[in-house]
Amino acid sequence: MSNRPPVCLTHRMELIIRPDQEAAASLVARIVASEVRANPRAVLGLATGSTMEAVYRHLVQMHKGSNLDFSGVRTFNLDEYVGLDANDPHSYRHFMNEHLFRQVNLDLHNTHLPNGRASDLGAECRHYEKLIGDAGGIDLQLLGIGKSGHIGFNEPLSALKSRTREKALTPTTIKQNAPFFGGEDRMPRRAITMGVGTILDARRCILLATGEAKADIIAQAVEGPITSMVTASALQLHPKATVIVDEAAAAKLKEKEYYRWIFANEPEWQEYR
Ligand code: F6R
């Protein structure tokens, strides 16, 4: 018999506010590190994007400074642009190799991203779902949030039960990410992304958002209704979802005092205070 409390007693979404971007990213990295230390064969779901860079920097520091061991860890990224080769400097494979995989002792064979150059994209998506299933599912999924409210590239109107598939990007997302490509016309219009349903299957989800540009969409995702128009709001259905924000991204939340109380008082957060 497991001595874990039944899910119905623990089912919740939590919101944690840290003073600034560094403190928020460091908290996420410490949660990942504690997962990896407790379970050296952990399956991590990973995200790219500028918000995640600080998290990976902290993880690399923990690997180098305090022997955080990634040798048994397996990883699955949320998404990849359609049409980009793994060696393309704009590909998410390249981003992950640079910011994390090559800087720690992860075995590259244990790292997975969808192949945006597959000749049959539908088959590639089904294969990706199968690989996640064969690995036993995702223990801890990291997420960012786009200005369109997306998690992964699940743009508005993505079904909340969707699985890994090809998705067209919204103008908002194209605007958000075009600077990395040196202009909107150089940016791919489509991506392969885990579905909202795929993400909700992870045993734990951690969403990190920092900066004032994310304040509106965080308030909608956390305190607004669950809607396919803001796919991050689907995390309200997840049994163990934690949203970690800095003060700037928390600016539009109504229940800030309550969220601060949770971090300051709940025993679960004691080791991180
Ligand atoms: C990236 C991803 C996206 C980003 C989101 C935030 O793999 O899935 O959902 O997390 O667009 O991006 P940044 O951090 O660049 O604002």
Side-chain angles (χ1 to χ4, degrees), residues 32-256:
V32 175
S34 126
E35 175 76 31
V36 169
R37 289 201 168 103
N39 175 11
R41 288 195 41 83
V43 178
L44 301 180
L46 300 178
T48 57
S50 39
T51 315
M52 287 299 145
E53 289 179 20
V55 174
Y56 298 143
R57 184 163 34 78
H58 282 287
L59 286 174
V60 170
Q61 273 163 12
M62 284 187 237
H63 168 69
K64 293 187 172 147
S66 44
N67 294 328
L68 182 61
D69 179 13
F70 288 90
S71 59
V73 168
R74 290 153 298 157
T75 70
F76 288 89
N77 265 78
L78 285 164
D79 38 24
E80 179 61 280
Y81 291 108
V82 167
L84 295 195
D85 189 77
N87 295 321
D88 188 303
H90 301 304
S91 72
Y92 282 166
R93 162 56 79 178
H94 187 267
F95 176 102
M96 290 309 303
N97 285 348
E98 293 295 302
H99 288 94
L100 184 68
F101 298 161
R102 292 217 163 104
Q103 304 220 41
V104 297
N105 62 337
L106 256 164
D107 179 345
L108 281 184
H109 291 107
N110 289 337
T111 66
H112 305 88
L113 284 93
N115 175 7
R117 296 267 290 172
S119 53
D120 181 342
L121 292 172
E124 171 63 15
C125 294
R126 290 188 291 280
H127 177 61
Y128 202 64
E129 286 278 336
K130 182 169 183 317
L131 288 178
I132 296 172
D134 291 349
I138 291 170
D139 293 307
L140 175 61
Q141 176 68 56
L142 292 188
L143 299 161
I145 184 170
K147 288 183 192 156
S148 69
H150 68 210
I151 44 177
F153 275 131
N154 291 288
E155 300 289 33
L157 289 188
S158 292
L160 301 187
K161 288 189 168 176
S162 51
R163 311 300 306 183
T164 302
R165 70 213 183 289
E166 198 190 340
K167 197 76 195 139
L169 305 178
T170 56
T172 307
T173 298
I174 291 168
K175 249 189 209 78
Q176 181 190 304
N177 289 357
F180 300 109
F181 288 83
E184 287 188 25
D185 34 336
R186 298 193 182 176
M187 209 191 131
R189 289 318 200 237
R190 305 178 80 78
I192 293 179
T193 179
M194 279 186 202
V196 182
T198 320
I199 293 168
L200 293 182
D201 282 349
R203 287 181 270 282
R204 184 170 186 190
C205 287
I206 312 252
L207 185 148
L208 172 65
T210 54
E212 62 181 332
K214 299 288 172 69
D216 268 321
I217 200 67
I218 276 293
Q220 288 181 53
V222 175
E223 295 181 337
I226 298 170
T227 167
S228 63
M229 285 300 287
V230 179
T231 56
S233 68
L235 292 175
Q236 295 176 36
L237 296 166
H238 192 276
K240 202 168 177 3
T242 309
V243 176
I244 297 173
V245 295
D246 63 358
E247 286 288 349
K252 304 270 169 77
L253 291 165
K254 292 195 191 91
E255 297 291 347
K256 273 192 272 193

Side-chain angles (χ1 to χ4, degrees), residues 8-19:
C8 54
L9 294 180
T10 58
H11 206 109
R12 61 170 180 261
M13 182 176 193
E14 272 182 327
L15 191 129
I16 301 298
I17 305 175
R18 304 306 299 130

